Amino acid sequence: MSIFNSELIKIIEDKDTLKSIATVSRDGIPHVVYKQSLHIEEDMVVFYDLIQSSQVNKNLVNSIWFNGKVAISILAKDKRNFLITGRPVKSVTAGKNFENIYSKLQDKKGKEVELSAIWYIEPITIREETYETRRKEEQEKYPYIRHLDLI
Amino acid sequence: MIVARDKEWRKKEPSLDDVVKKYQDMPASWILKVDIQRRGLWYSPNAVAKINPAIHAVHQDGKDLFRNNVDFVPEGLIWNDGSYLIANFDFDQKNPARDPYVIDYIDGKYVIVDEGKIVGDFQGYWEKPDFYNKKASNGQPLSTYVQARPQRIEVSVNKYCHFWDCPSEGCKYCPLTPSYKASGATEEQDDIKYMREAFAEAFKQRGRFTQVLLTGGSILSGKELFDDELESYIRVLKMIGEFFSGKRFPSQLISSAFNERQLEKLYNETGLTMYTTDIEVFNREKFKWICPGKANKLGYDEWKRRLIASVDIFGKGNVTSGAVLGTELATPNGFDSEDEAFENVVEEAESIISHGIALAANIWRPTPKSIFQNQISPTLDYYVRVYREFDKLQRKYITNPYNDDFRRCGAHVGLDLMRTY
């Protein structure tokens, strides 16, 4: 059974959804970047890195080498948001699949666009982070961590 | 099944596990790559069944003089981190010093096995470029003239190294010229017309190549030493340059150590962006013993001086130097211990890296047909220890991490470590 439900897949694939990925450098410095190419393929989070010298590329290499984790934040146009944690497991940098994506990206975005790598992230956890959902969860689980005037 | 000539070899050196535990700041998957290069690899029947010559680049044409057998092995592997590992290298398959790793295909995954245990996995075999399916106008496969790695297109301009004109002067680790002689080949260079046809076809493939590489054996003749070698490279680089609209194109030349006049001519007359001349051995005395031709015709100090001088012409970060790491411990004239070798090699390496020159050091495998063929290469611990130190120096002196990097070569794994700079 897929870790992603069909509703989340639909949200992720909506062009109006904002999708960001947070990684950590070799020196422990966090880095967040938006990746609108992010989508789901066979239970993996997949996105394209277009710049070989990008910090996200360096951080993902460091993560795949040392079993590090990444966080992916999904913000739907209706303001619902989700957090996916996962680990990078594959980086495709050559081959027919790479060349097909390279051509498609150029056809869509113009000849100046490069493709450095296709990254595959294996999801570990998925959690809805929408404020209203989280507020209700907390209220049910910890009913007394509130200001007194709200009791 | 290939079995080591010394059945006790595992008891005499640290294991892969030992080294991974010792160097926890080094990627375990990278350490495995180092050890595969050191020990060699072989294929299970399941792994062989996955080799498809219609899709994969396999060793079938016998043109690569670094491998003697025409046995359809994959030219290379793609690691999960997107880096490449060349797999067509030769090692002693009859009586190797150590057991090779075994490639297998289990439960839908390509895996690496040692003593029956899975020690790693990888994405798959290198795919061949489209032009490998086509022929030149003379009916020969285009792959006869130009070869490819996953993102690099390359040509071996001179197939014979003239340091071997005097047989006792060839580099002792190198099988290229002995293999050339054994093959019965007579043409040292291919016709540029067919190279052009191969490049024309190759450049049609979108997204396949990021760099052109030229290399080959040394040519000593000319008005000055290496002048004829220089002219042979200029001729091919000019031909390739016709395919690009700008003056320069991503390219690398690995050649003999040219003097300043030759380097300026090379830079000014071609679109070359990156120059490499291999120092081979990080010690003057060992170089003299291991590379006698280079030592006699030019000498270690002059080779090194020219390497460093090339930075002024090609620019800091656009020069690298290769070595056959581990030969400094060959017997009988190598260093007596790995500790002694480590101290000497690192000190000498810093004197080169400090000029902004990254070291593309390859792992020495005593290769069949080379003079050193029956020797034993150093331990895995030695290689990881040395590469780790090179990496620290390269970070300190900020060498360019995007030339000669993981996606260009697939042989000198030490430069993979630059990916997080």
Side-chain angles (χ1 to χ4, degrees):
Chain A
M1 190 179 151
S2 174
I3 189 169
F4 297 103
N5 62 40
S6 56
E7 185 192 16
L8 181 55
I9 292 174
K10 202 173 164 190
I11 288 170
I12 289 172
E13 293 186 348
D14 186 330
K15 66 179 175 50
D16 293 325
T17 297
L18 276 179
K19 297 166 267 192
S20 66
I21 177 161
T23 58
V24 182
S25 77
R26 179 186 169 99
D27 303 318
I29 300 169
H31 179 269
V32 179
V33 68
Y34 292 94
K35 286 286 175 193
Q36 289 308 97
S37 64
L38 192 144
H39 61 281
I40 307 299
E41 280 180 32
E42 296 177 352
D43 278 353
M44 294 271 184
V45 178
V46 181
F47 66 90
Y48 311 135
D49 194 54
L50 309 185
I51 297 173
Q52 193 181 330
S53 61
S54 71
Q55 190 61 48
V56 68
N57 202 31
K58 293 173 189 178
N59 294 359
L60 286 166
V61 169
N62 196 56
S63 292
I64 200 169
W65 281 353
F66 295 105
N67 201 25
K69 312 288 190 297
V70 301
I72 293 160
S73 179
I74 305 292
L75 176 62
K77 62 185 170 191
D78 64 2
K79 305 298 178 197
R80 289 176 70 193
N81 62 88
F82 300 84
L83 179 74
I84 303 166
T85 61
R87 73 169 68 84
V89 291
K90 188 166 75 169
S91 174
V92 172
T93 57
K96 283 292 176 201
N97 182 37
F98 178 90
E99 289 166 31
N100 288 338
I101 302 297
Y102 175 88
S103 293
K104 279 182 189 168
L105 281 168
Q106 287 197 339
D107 293 344
K108 191 176 167 188
K109 293 173 178 284
K111 290 284 183 192
E112 285 300 307
V113 173
E114 257 287 0
L115 176 62
S116 166
I118 306 167
W119 278 98
Y120 291 77
I121 311 293
E122 183 180 70
I124 300 168
T125 62
I126 299 176
R127 172 185 166 100
E128 184 167 353
E129 294 280 12
T130 309
Y131 168 70
E132 196 55 33
T133 306
R134 285 285 298 115
R135 190 187 65 75
K136 283 178 184 164
E137 273 179 15
E138 183 168 286
Q139 202 169 339
E140 280 173 22
K141 210 169 175 183
Y142 309 106
Y144 301 116
I145 55 166
R146 313 190 74 198
H147 285 94
L148 294 178
D149 54 288
L150 290 176
I151 299 293
Chain B
M1 187 175 169
I2 299 170
V3 180
R5 58 181 183 254
D6 176 5
K7 306 285 181 294
E8 303 293 306
W9 73 269
R10 290 179 192 272
K11 294 176 183 168
K12 298 173 183 172
E13 58 182 61
S15 68
L16 174 69
D17 271 355
D18 294 336
V19 176
V20 167
K21 280 176 191 150
K22 182 173 174 184
Y23 300 100
Q24 294 197 9
D25 58 341
M26 305 298 277
S29 61
W30 174 86
I31 295 175
L32 176 59
K33 277 170 91 170
V34 174
D35 211 22
I36 288 173
Q37 289 210 320
R38 190 182 71 108
R39 283 171 48 185
L41 50 77
W42 202 238
Y43 297 84
S44 74
N46 280 346
V48 170
K50 295 299 291 182
I51 301 169
N52 182 350
I55 296 171
H56 302 123
V58 296
H59 187 74
Q60 58 180 323
D61 57 12
K63 298 293 180 191
D64 184 344
L65 296 173
F66 286 101
R67 187 177 186 89
N68 294 295
N69 300 319
V70 178
D71 50 11
F72 291 87
V73 297
E75 292 281 11
L77 316 177
I78 301 192
W79 233 231
N80 288 334
D81 65 7
S83 64
Y84 315 131
L85 180 65
I86 195 156
N88 69 0
F89 52 76
D90 237 345
F91 68 101
D92 185 347
Q93 292 169 17
K94 288 180 184 158
N95 288 296
R98 304 172 174 100
D99 301 309
Y101 285 94
V102 176
I103 302 293
D104 205 345
Y105 189 78
I106 300 173
D107 296 334
K109 269 189 173 178
Y110 291 93
V111 295
I112 296 140
V113 176
D114 189 32
E115 294 186 294
K117 181 183 156 198
I118 294 174
V119 294
D121 59 357
F122 62 100
Q123 287 186 36
Y125 306 138
W126 291 0
E127 292 179 17
K128 67 177 178 179
D130 294 345
F131 79 88
Y132 273 27
N133 295 324
K134 304 208 169 160
K135 291 187 174 174
S137 55
N138 64 354
Q140 290 296 310
L142 289 176
S143 60
T144 306
Y145 304 102
V146 171
Q147 290 80 42
R149 294 189 184 184
Q151 294 260 297
R152 183 173 91 182
I153 183 164
E154 58 192 36
V155 56
S156 183
V157 175
N158 312 306
K159 299 179 193 312
Y160 177 86
C161 174
H162 285 268
F163 283 120
W164 286 83
D165 288 350
C166 177
S168 62
E169 293 208 335
C171 296
K172 289 183 169 59
Y173 49 78
C174 187
L176 189 135
T177 296
S179 296
Y180 173 87
K181 286 179 176 173
S183 74
T186 52
E187 296 293 325
E188 292 181 25
Q189 295 187 12
D190 288 323
D191 191 327
I192 199 166
K193 176 185 171 189
Y194 304 121
M195 286 185 209
R196 186 196 306 274
E197 289 176 8
F199 278 109
E201 198 59 41
F203 290 145
K204 291 177 184 169
Q205 193 170 353
R206 286 172 77 184
R208 171 76 200 205
F209 299 112
T210 62
Q211 190 197 40
V212 177
L213 172 90
L214 272 68
T215 188
S218 295
I219 302 175
L220 313 182
S221 56
K223 197 172 172 187
E224 281 191 277
L225 184 67
F226 307 135
D227 263 356
D228 288 347
E229 180 181 340
L230 173 72
E231 289 305 324
S232 71
Y233 289 129
I234 288 177
R235 195 165 50 95
V236 177
L237 281 164
K238 280 184 174 172
M239 177 273 287
I240 299 168
E242 291 169 12
F243 290 95
F244 300 95
S245 53
K247 163 75 176 164
R248 305 224 167 260
F249 56 94
S251 48
Q252 178 183 10
L253 171 66
I254 307 174
S255 72
S256 298
F258 296 134
N259 64 30
E260 283 87 333
R261 179 192 61 78
Q262 292 167 326
L263 287 165
E264 279 174 10
K265 185 174 166 66
L266 178 66
Y267 185 78
N268 293 330
E269 293 188 11
T270 73
L272 186 69
T273 54
M274 187 184 159
Y275 176 71
T276 301
T277 189
D278 295 339
I279 197 74
E280 311 290 17
V281 183
F282 296 103
N283 179 274
R284 186 185 301 110
E285 290 310 308
K286 311 305 175 200
F287 178 88
K288 198 173 173 183
W289 171 55
I290 296 167
C291 306
K294 289 176 179 172
N296 290 341
K297 296 289 187 301
L298 197 64
Y300 182 86
D301 292 339
E302 179 61 11
W303 200 286
K304 182 178 167 185
R305 191 199 67 73
R306 290 180 178 197
L307 165 66
I308 292 167
S310 69
V311 176
D312 292 336
I313 293 156
F314 281 85
K316 190 174 176 182
N318 298 327
V319 174
T320 62
S321 185
V324 188
L325 191 63
T327 53
E328 61 277 4
L329 279 149
T331 57
N333 297 326
F335 290 110
D336 291 333
S337 71
E338 292 188 353
D339 283 346
E340 185 190 6
F342 174 82
E343 295 300 330
N344 278 274
V345 162
V346 169
E347 184 181 346
E348 184 64 5
E350 182 163 13
S351 72
I352 296 170
I353 297 172
S354 59
H355 293 272
I357 299 169
L359 295 180
N362 286 300
I363 289 165
W364 171 46
R365 285 173 304 282
T367 308
K369 290 195 171 71
S370 70
I371 295 169
F372 276 165
Q373 62 181 333
N374 293 317
Q375 301 247 357
I376 298 176
S377 58
T379 65
L380 175 61
D381 183 273
Y382 177 75
Y383 281 110
V384 174
R385 193 174 165 206
V386 173
Y387 277 131
R388 184 170 175 258
E389 216 57 34
F390 285 0
D391 187 51
K392 284 181 188 168
L393 293 170
Q394 279 153 187
R395 285 176 196 274
K396 178 178 174 184
Y397 294 107
I398 317 173
T399 50
N400 184 343
Y402 302 109
N403 274 333
D404 215 354
D405 67 3
F406 78 97
R407 72 188 309 158
R408 311 291 175 98
C409 184
H412 46 69
V413 296
L415 296 187
D416 285 11
L417 299 170
M418 292 176 148
R419 293 180 69 188
T420 60
Y421 286 20

PDB file of all heavy atoms in Angstrom, chain A residues 2 7 11 24 35 39 45 55 58 66 75 89 108 116 136 139 147:
ATOM      1  N   SER A   2       0.465   2.214  -0.801  1.00  0.00           N
ATOM      2  CA  SER A   2       1.280   3.429  -0.937  1.00  0.00           C
ATOM      3  C   SER A   2       1.251   4.276   0.331  1.00  0.00           C
ATOM      4  O   SER A   2       0.216   4.378   1.005  1.00  0.00           O
ATOM      5  CB  SER A   2       0.751   4.258  -2.114  1.00  0.00           C
ATOM      6  OG  SER A   2       1.428   5.485  -2.162  1.00  0.00           O
ATOM      7  N   GLU A   7      -5.350  11.798  -2.387  1.00  0.00           N
ATOM      8  CA  GLU A   7      -5.612  13.224  -2.177  1.00  0.00           C
ATOM      9  C   GLU A   7      -4.292  14.011  -2.134  1.00  0.00           C
ATOM     10  O   GLU A   7      -4.153  15.065  -2.757  1.00  0.00           O
ATOM     11  CB  GLU A   7      -6.377  13.422  -0.867  1.00  0.00           C
ATOM     12  CG  GLU A   7      -6.786  14.866  -0.653  1.00  0.00           C
ATOM     13  CD  GLU A   7      -7.274  15.130   0.765  1.00  0.00           C
ATOM     14  OE1 GLU A   7      -7.015  14.288   1.650  1.00  0.00           O
ATOM     15  OE2 GLU A   7      -7.894  16.179   0.967  1.00  0.00           O
ATOM     16  N   ILE A  11      -2.744  16.884  -4.618  1.00  0.00           N
ATOM     17  CA  ILE A  11      -2.273  18.204  -4.146  1.00  0.00           C
ATOM     18  C   ILE A  11      -0.855  18.454  -4.649  1.00  0.00           C
ATOM     19  O   ILE A  11      -0.533  19.534  -5.157  1.00  0.00           O
ATOM     20  CB  ILE A  11      -2.334  18.275  -2.602  1.00  0.00           C
ATOM     21  CG1 ILE A  11      -3.784  18.361  -2.135  1.00  0.00           C
ATOM     22  CG2 ILE A  11      -1.524  19.460  -2.072  1.00  0.00           C
ATOM     23  CD1 ILE A  11      -3.967  18.205  -0.635  1.00  0.00           C
ATOM     24  N   VAL A  24      20.382  19.809   4.759  1.00  0.00           N
ATOM     25  CA  VAL A  24      21.415  20.297   5.677  1.00  0.00           C
ATOM     26  C   VAL A  24      22.782  20.072   5.047  1.00  0.00           C
ATOM     27  O   VAL A  24      23.038  19.019   4.467  1.00  0.00           O
ATOM     28  CB  VAL A  24      21.335  19.555   7.034  1.00  0.00           C
ATOM     29  CG1 VAL A  24      22.386  20.093   8.002  1.00  0.00           C
ATOM     30  CG2 VAL A  24      19.958  19.690   7.636  1.00  0.00           C
ATOM     31  N   LYS A  35      10.902  23.658  -5.135  1.00  0.00           N
ATOM     32  CA  LYS A  35      11.117  22.757  -6.276  1.00  0.00           C
ATOM     33  C   LYS A  35       9.753  22.420  -6.889  1.00  0.00           C
ATOM     34  O   LYS A  35       9.082  21.464  -6.476  1.00  0.00           O
ATOM     35  CB  LYS A  35      11.789  21.456  -5.800  1.00  0.00           C
ATOM     36  CG  LYS A  35      13.252  21.628  -5.462  1.00  0.00           C
ATOM     37  CD  LYS A  35      14.086  21.757  -6.712  1.00  0.00           C
ATOM     38  CE  LYS A  35      15.532  22.051  -6.382  1.00  0.00           C
ATOM     39  NZ  LYS A  35      16.303  22.474  -7.558  1.00  0.00           N
ATOM     40  N   HIS A  39       7.338  15.768  -7.670  1.00  0.00           N
ATOM     41  CA  HIS A  39       6.162  14.936  -7.937  1.00  0.00           C
ATOM     42  C   HIS A  39       6.400  13.538  -7.355  1.00  0.00           C
ATOM     43  O   HIS A  39       7.457  13.279  -6.772  1.00  0.00           O
ATOM     44  CB  HIS A  39       5.885  14.881  -9.444  1.00  0.00           C
ATOM     45  CG  HIS A  39       6.994  14.279 -10.239  1.00  0.00           C
ATOM     46  ND1 HIS A  39       8.142  14.972 -10.585  1.00  0.00           N
ATOM     47  CD2 HIS A  39       7.156  13.028 -10.755  1.00  0.00           C
ATOM     48  CE1 HIS A  39       8.944  14.186 -11.287  1.00  0.00           C
ATOM     49  NE2 HIS A  39       8.378  13.002 -11.387  1.00  0.00           N
ATOM     50  N   VAL A  45       9.375  10.462  -3.797  1.00  0.00           N
ATOM     51  CA  VAL A  45       9.312  11.874  -4.145  1.00  0.00           C
ATOM     52  C   VAL A  45      10.448  12.130  -5.130  1.00  0.00           C
ATOM     53  O   VAL A  45      11.596  11.775  -4.872  1.00  0.00           O
ATOM     54  CB  VAL A  45       9.495  12.767  -2.897  1.00  0.00           C
ATOM     55  CG1 VAL A  45       9.465  14.239  -3.293  1.00  0.00           C
ATOM     56  CG2 VAL A  45       8.416  12.460  -1.862  1.00  0.00           C
ATOM     57  N   GLN A  55      23.377  24.469  -3.806  1.00  0.00           N
ATOM     58  CA  GLN A  55      23.586  24.011  -2.438  1.00  0.00           C
ATOM     59  C   GLN A  55      22.736  22.769  -2.148  1.00  0.00           C
ATOM     60  O   GLN A  55      23.176  21.862  -1.440  1.00  0.00           O
ATOM     61  CB  GLN A  55      23.254  25.130  -1.447  1.00  0.00           C
ATOM     62  CG  GLN A  55      23.667  24.836  -0.013  1.00  0.00           C
ATOM     63  CD  GLN A  55      25.178  24.632   0.126  1.00  0.00           C
ATOM     64  OE1 GLN A  55      25.970  25.432  -0.379  1.00  0.00           O
ATOM     65  NE2 GLN A  55      25.585  23.565   0.795  1.00  0.00           N
ATOM     66  N   LYS A  58      24.576  19.733  -3.335  1.00  0.00           N
ATOM     67  CA  LYS A  58      25.669  19.373  -2.426  1.00  0.00           C
ATOM     68  C   LYS A  58      25.125  18.708  -1.159  1.00  0.00           C
ATOM     69  O   LYS A  58      25.663  17.708  -0.681  1.00  0.00           O
ATOM     70  CB  LYS A  58      26.462  20.630  -2.033  1.00  0.00           C
ATOM     71  CG  LYS A  58      27.213  21.264  -3.179  1.00  0.00           C
ATOM     72  CD  LYS A  58      27.816  22.587  -2.758  1.00  0.00           C
ATOM     73  CE  LYS A  58      28.385  23.320  -3.951  1.00  0.00           C
ATOM     74  NZ  LYS A  58      28.950  24.619  -3.638  1.00  0.00           N
ATOM     75  N   PHE A  66      25.785   9.851   3.884  1.00  0.00           N
ATOM     76  CA  PHE A  66      25.849   9.612   5.338  1.00  0.00           C
ATOM     77  C   PHE A  66      24.470   9.318   5.943  1.00  0.00           C
ATOM     78  O   PHE A  66      24.260   9.531   7.122  1.00  0.00           O
ATOM     79  CB  PHE A  66      26.507  10.810   6.030  1.00  0.00           C
ATOM     80  CG  PHE A  66      27.947  10.991   5.623  1.00  0.00           C
ATOM     81  CD1 PHE A  66      28.313  11.997   4.748  1.00  0.00           C
ATOM     82  CD2 PHE A  66      28.932  10.129   6.079  1.00  0.00           C
ATOM     83  CE1 PHE A  66      29.636  12.157   4.344  1.00  0.00           C
ATOM     84  CE2 PHE A  66      30.256  10.281   5.682  1.00  0.00           C
ATOM     85  CZ  PHE A  66      30.617  11.290   4.818  1.00  0.00           C
ATOM     86  N   LEU A  75       2.538  23.110   0.370  1.00  0.00           N
ATOM     87  CA  LEU A  75       1.488  24.092   0.712  1.00  0.00           C
ATOM     88  C   LEU A  75       0.500  24.178  -0.442  1.00  0.00           C
ATOM     89  O   LEU A  75       0.820  24.681  -1.527  1.00  0.00           O
ATOM     90  CB  LEU A  75       2.120  25.466   0.977  1.00  0.00           C
ATOM     91  CG  LEU A  75       1.138  26.607   1.252  1.00  0.00           C
ATOM     92  CD1 LEU A  75       0.303  26.337   2.509  1.00  0.00           C
ATOM     93  CD2 LEU A  75       1.871  27.937   1.385  1.00  0.00           C
ATOM     94  N   VAL A  89      17.732   8.483  -1.947  1.00  0.00           N
ATOM     95  CA  VAL A  89      18.225   7.125  -2.208  1.00  0.00           C
ATOM     96  C   VAL A  89      18.820   6.967  -3.598  1.00  0.00           C
ATOM     97  O   VAL A  89      19.515   5.991  -3.878  1.00  0.00           O
ATOM     98  CB  VAL A  89      17.105   6.069  -2.023  1.00  0.00           C
ATOM     99  CG1 VAL A  89      16.728   5.941  -0.565  1.00  0.00           C
ATOM    100  CG2 VAL A  89      15.885   6.392  -2.871  1.00  0.00           C
ATOM    101  N   LYS A 108      10.088  22.825 -22.699  1.00  0.00           N
ATOM    102  CA  LYS A 108       9.116  23.584 -21.913  1.00  0.00           C
ATOM    103  C   LYS A 108       9.653  24.946 -21.478  1.00  0.00           C
ATOM    104  O   LYS A 108       8.956  25.955 -21.528  1.00  0.00           O
ATOM    105  CB  LYS A 108       8.758  22.752 -20.676  1.00  0.00           C
ATOM    106  CG  LYS A 108       7.587  23.263 -19.878  1.00  0.00           C
ATOM    107  CD  LYS A 108       7.294  22.284 -18.749  1.00  0.00           C
ATOM    108  CE  LYS A 108       6.346  22.891 -17.744  1.00  0.00           C
ATOM    109  NZ  LYS A 108       6.196  22.058 -16.564  1.00  0.00           N
ATOM    110  N   SER A 116      20.886  18.846 -13.993  1.00  0.00           N
ATOM    111  CA  SER A 116      22.048  18.299 -13.291  1.00  0.00           C
ATOM    112  C   SER A 116      21.762  16.886 -12.792  1.00  0.00           C
ATOM    113  O   SER A 116      22.579  15.984 -12.961  1.00  0.00           O
ATOM    114  CB  SER A 116      22.411  19.206 -12.115  1.00  0.00           C
ATOM    115  OG  SER A 116      23.297  18.550 -11.253  1.00  0.00           O
ATOM    116  N   LYS A 136      -6.527  21.099  16.465  1.00  0.00           N
ATOM    117  CA  LYS A 136      -7.496  20.113  16.960  1.00  0.00           C
ATOM    118  C   LYS A 136      -6.772  18.912  17.574  1.00  0.00           C
ATOM    119  O   LYS A 136      -7.178  18.390  18.604  1.00  0.00           O
ATOM    120  CB  LYS A 136      -8.414  19.656  15.818  1.00  0.00           C
ATOM    121  CG  LYS A 136      -9.485  20.666  15.471  1.00  0.00           C
ATOM    122  CD  LYS A 136     -10.311  20.167  14.313  1.00  0.00           C
ATOM    123  CE  LYS A 136     -11.325  21.224  13.903  1.00  0.00           C
ATOM    124  NZ  LYS A 136     -11.886  20.969  12.578  1.00  0.00           N
ATOM    125  N   GLN A 139      -5.388  19.894  20.940  1.00  0.00           N
ATOM    126  CA  GLN A 139      -6.466  20.079  21.926  1.00  0.00           C
ATOM    127  C   GLN A 139      -6.959  18.733  22.448  1.00  0.00           C
ATOM    128  O   GLN A 139      -7.262  18.580  23.633  1.00  0.00           O
ATOM    129  CB  GLN A 139      -7.612  20.846  21.277  1.00  0.00           C
ATOM    130  CG  GLN A 139      -8.493  21.520  22.304  1.00  0.00           C
ATOM    131  CD  GLN A 139      -9.463  22.499  21.655  1.00  0.00           C
ATOM    132  OE1 GLN A 139      -9.243  22.966  20.540  1.00  0.00           O
ATOM    133  NE2 GLN A 139     -10.528  22.791  22.360  1.00  0.00           N
ATOM    134  N   HIS A 147      -3.724  28.759  27.558  1.00  0.00           N
ATOM    135  CA  HIS A 147      -3.888  29.875  28.485  1.00  0.00           C
ATOM    136  C   HIS A 147      -5.225  29.739  29.216  1.00  0.00           C
ATOM    137  O   HIS A 147      -6.190  29.240  28.642  1.00  0.00           O
ATOM    138  CB  HIS A 147      -3.837  31.209  27.734  1.00  0.00           C
ATOM    139  CG  HIS A 147      -2.440  31.574  27.335  1.00  0.00           C
ATOM    140  ND1 HIS A 147      -1.904  31.269  26.101  1.00  0.00           N
ATOM    141  CD2 HIS A 147      -1.447  32.190  28.029  1.00  0.00           C
ATOM    142  CE1 HIS A 147      -0.655  31.690  26.043  1.00  0.00           C
ATOM    143  NE2 HIS A 147      -0.353  32.258  27.219  1.00  0.00           N
TER     144      HIS A 147
END
